């Protein structure tokens, strides 16, 4: 809802251009459907190696695995490319690959070169026609620095395709900001559209209250494993969690959390009955200060956590399966929900940096 087209495993904004550039080159060469994946893998492997030689190596997907990378950047960014209207093909990546032979034989569309001039062959508009041309030295000198034209293009795609999102608002403002842990700490928060502020009110409250469930779950695992250091750590984390909620009681007291299913339903998401029931029961504990303060030893809350894990994992539930417990690494899902803000903040930074350089040039 806030950052459509993003994913927790996205890293940098320029991948939204790297992938179309690679595909456009492969299609221009009329790479057969039977060969497209192998050629794509080779080119994405080259991209990794070339990015590794650039000055900014942060966020290179596959820099450790290199040629052995199992999930390619093109697959990771496939959904986002569609959500931002950069990819027009409506199907999966595999379906796109299988469609190419038919595409080459189609008579309805004309192949064009980088200058937009017709050339021999045929192509379709599976990709947005406004995609900026790849640099002449791509992919040899690939890097993550967006040109102003590229940043403008990505911003336009976001604003056009996802106009009511927080992501669109932030790119449209073109204002850089210092890094913050959560989007509700953003310096422009008071200027966010009213509907987004209302959504973030629910999002923050849910993020802060539900974290206690994850902390209690990990405390229970630590107890099962008799890991004294971890037991003390999670007991302390739960005390801090309860203290934070106590400080925000005036905001939480009047929070109509039952609107949560209605809010996410706007995006076509349905919350299952079991999940809604779990949330309802957990919030009945978390929103009572006296209960939250003693949550580490609250038997009903502990029973709820155990029931939830069994519902989700069945026989692989760590609290009842010693072998599964052995695989626990000491921390499972304890980070507070940030709704992909960590990822989005980096992608936004890439785009906004290009705008900032333009401002610097104008004022110099």
């Amino acid at each position: 809802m806030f950052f459509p087209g993003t994913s927790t495993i996205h890293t940098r904004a320029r991948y939204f251009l790297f992938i179309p550039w690679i595909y456009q080159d492969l299609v221009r060469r009329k790479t057969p459907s039977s060969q497209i994946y192998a050629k794509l893998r080779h080119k994405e492997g080259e991209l990794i190696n070339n990015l590794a030689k650039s000055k900014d190596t942060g966020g290179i997907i596959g820099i450790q695995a290199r040629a052995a990378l199992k999930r390619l950047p093109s697959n990771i960014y496939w959904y986002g490319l569609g959500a931002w209207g950069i990819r027009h093909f409506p199907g999966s990546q595999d379906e796109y690959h299988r469609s190419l032979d038919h595409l080459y034989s189609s008579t309805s569309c004309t192949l064009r070169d980088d200058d937009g001039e017709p050339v021999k062959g045929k192509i379709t508009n599976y990709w947005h026609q406004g995609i900026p041309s790849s640099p002449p030295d791509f992919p040899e000198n690939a890097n993550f620095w967006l040109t102003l034209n590229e940043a403008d293009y990505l911003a336009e795609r976001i604003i056009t395709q996802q106009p009511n999102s927080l992501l669109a608002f932030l790119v449209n403002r073109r204002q850089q900001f210092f890094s913050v842990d959560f989007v509700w700490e953003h310096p422009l928060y008071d200027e966010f559209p009213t509907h987004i502020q209302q959504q973030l009110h629910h999002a923050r409250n849910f993020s802060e209250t539900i974290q206690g469930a994850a902390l209690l779950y990990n405390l229970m695992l630590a107890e099962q494993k008799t890991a004294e250091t971890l037991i003390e750590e999670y007991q302390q984390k739960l005390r801090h969690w309860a203290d934070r909620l106590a400080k925000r009681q005036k905001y939480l007291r009047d929070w109509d959390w039952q609107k949560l299913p209605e809010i996410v339903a706007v995006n076509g998401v349905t919350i299952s009955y079991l999940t809604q029931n779990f949330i309802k029961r957990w919030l009945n504990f978390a929103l009572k200060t006296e209960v939250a303060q003693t949550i580490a030893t609250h038997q009903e809350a502990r029973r709820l956590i155990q029931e939830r894990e069994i519902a989700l994992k069945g026989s692989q539930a760590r609290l009842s399966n010693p072998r599964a417990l052995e695989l626990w690494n000491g921390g499972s899902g304890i980070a507070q929900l940030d709704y992909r803000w960590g990822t989005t903040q980096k992608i936004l930074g890439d785009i906004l940096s290009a705008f900032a350089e333009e401002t610097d040039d104008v004022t110099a």
Side-chain angles (χ1 to χ4, degrees):
M1 184 180 292
F2 299 128
F3 312 117
T6 65
S7 162
T8 55
I9 52 177
H10 284 175
T11 56
R12 305 297 293 269
R14 216 176 186 205
Y15 275 112
F16 282 96
L17 297 173
F18 289 156
I19 306 311
W21 288 341
I22 290 173
Y23 267 122
Q24 286 175 331
D25 181 62
L26 291 171
V27 171
R28 189 177 295 116
R29 298 170 187 273
K30 293 192 174 182
T31 307
S33 293
S34 60
Q35 299 176 22
I36 191 73
Y37 181 75
K39 297 280 188 181
L40 177 71
R41 172 171 279 281
H42 176 73
K43 283 188 170 291
E44 294 197 56
E46 283 186 335
L47 178 62
I48 294 170
N49 295 331
N50 292 328
L51 286 170
K53 293 182 289 186
S54 67
K55 292 182 179 179
D56 181 2
T57 58
I60 299 176
I61 298 173
I63 194 169
Q64 299 298 327
R66 301 287 175 117
L69 182 64
K70 292 184 178 180
R71 190 175 181 190
L72 300 177
S74 57
N75 182 260
I76 291 172
Y77 278 76
W78 189 255
Y79 169 76
L81 287 164
W84 288 10
I86 299 172
R87 167 179 58 84
H88 286 175
F89 182 80
S92 68
Q93 191 177 19
D94 286 341
E95 290 171 332
Y96 174 70
H97 292 171
R98 292 195 297 270
S99 76
L100 290 177
D101 286 343
H102 175 72
L103 165 66
Y104 303 142
S105 64
S106 170
T107 59
S108 60
C109 300
T110 304
L111 183 67
R112 297 181 181 275
D113 62 19
D114 291 340
D115 296 321
E117 296 299 320
V119 296
K120 292 181 180 180
K122 307 175 183 80
I123 198 168
T124 189
N125 58 347
Y126 281 175
W127 298 93
H128 186 255
Q129 292 184 352
I131 296 173
S133 298
S134 61
D137 59 354
F138 178 80
E140 289 77 13
N141 293 315
N143 59 69
F144 288 125
W145 293 100
L146 290 167
T147 66
L148 177 59
N149 182 49
E150 293 165 0
D152 269 329
Y153 172 75
L154 292 180
E156 181 275 332
R157 290 287 78 206
I158 293 167
I159 293 166
T160 300
Q161 296 296 308
Q162 306 293 341
N164 296 318
S165 68
L166 178 53
L167 182 61
F169 171 84
L170 292 172
V171 296
N172 196 35
R173 287 302 299 267
R174 297 192 172 207
Q175 186 172 327
Q176 282 191 302
F177 55 90
F178 290 108
S179 176
V180 293
D181 292 333
F182 301 99
V183 70
W184 44 83
E185 297 172 350
H186 196 287
L188 293 179
Y189 179 86
D190 290 340
E191 299 178 34
F192 288 177
T194 301
H195 76 279
I196 290 177
Q197 289 192 30
Q198 291 172 346
Q199 291 167 356
L200 282 174
H201 168 71
H202 288 279
R204 177 179 182 176
N205 289 346
F206 183 71
S207 172
E208 293 178 344
T209 51
I210 203 67
Q211 187 189 21
L215 295 175
L216 179 56
Y217 172 57
N218 280 271
L219 170 62
M220 293 166 67
L221 292 175
E223 291 170 344
Q224 286 279 87
K225 222 169 183 179
T226 323
E228 295 300 331
T229 301
L230 286 174
I231 291 173
E232 292 180 14
E233 177 183 333
Y234 284 114
Q235 286 175 337
Q236 183 179 46
K237 286 180 182 294
L238 280 167
R239 285 194 293 271
H240 290 165
W241 168 77
D243 289 342
R244 288 197 302 273
L245 293 192
K247 291 176 182 178
R248 296 199 70 248
Q249 267 304 299
K250 69 175 183 177
Y251 300 102
L252 295 172
R253 190 180 302 113
D254 299 324
W255 175 36
D256 187 2
W257 55 264
Q258 296 186 63
K259 284 187 176 180
L260 288 172
E262 175 186 329
I263 291 170
V264 299
V266 172
N267 278 28
V269 177
T270 301
I271 303 176
S272 71
Y273 170 77
L274 288 177
T275 297
Q276 289 192 50
N277 186 52
F278 169 73
I279 291 171
K280 174 182 177 180
R281 292 171 65 190
W282 176 260
L283 292 181
N284 280 333
F285 299 136
L287 294 175
K288 296 175 182 175
T289 303
E290 66 280 6
V291 176
Q293 293 288 350
T294 61
I295 202 74
T297 57
H298 196 281
Q299 293 307 306
E300 286 186 56
R302 284 170 163 264
R303 188 158 48 249
L304 174 62
I305 295 297
Q306 186 159 22
E307 290 172 359
R308 178 63 174 170
E309 190 195 28
I310 292 173
L312 291 175
K313 299 180 181 177
S315 62
Q316 295 304 308
R318 295 186 180 114
L319 288 170
S320 55
N321 183 325
R323 174 56 184 156
L325 180 62
E326 287 178 14
L327 301 176
W328 177 60
N329 63 5
S332 179
I334 60 175
Q336 186 179 331
L337 291 173
D338 73 349
Y339 306 100
R340 302 180 188 168
W341 173 241
T343 297
T344 303
Q345 192 165 207
K346 186 63 179 175
I347 291 173
L348 268 172
D350 287 341
I351 297 173
L352 298 177
S353 291
F355 296 150
E357 288 182 15
E358 175 197 26
T359 302
D360 292 343
D361 290 342
V362 170
T363 57

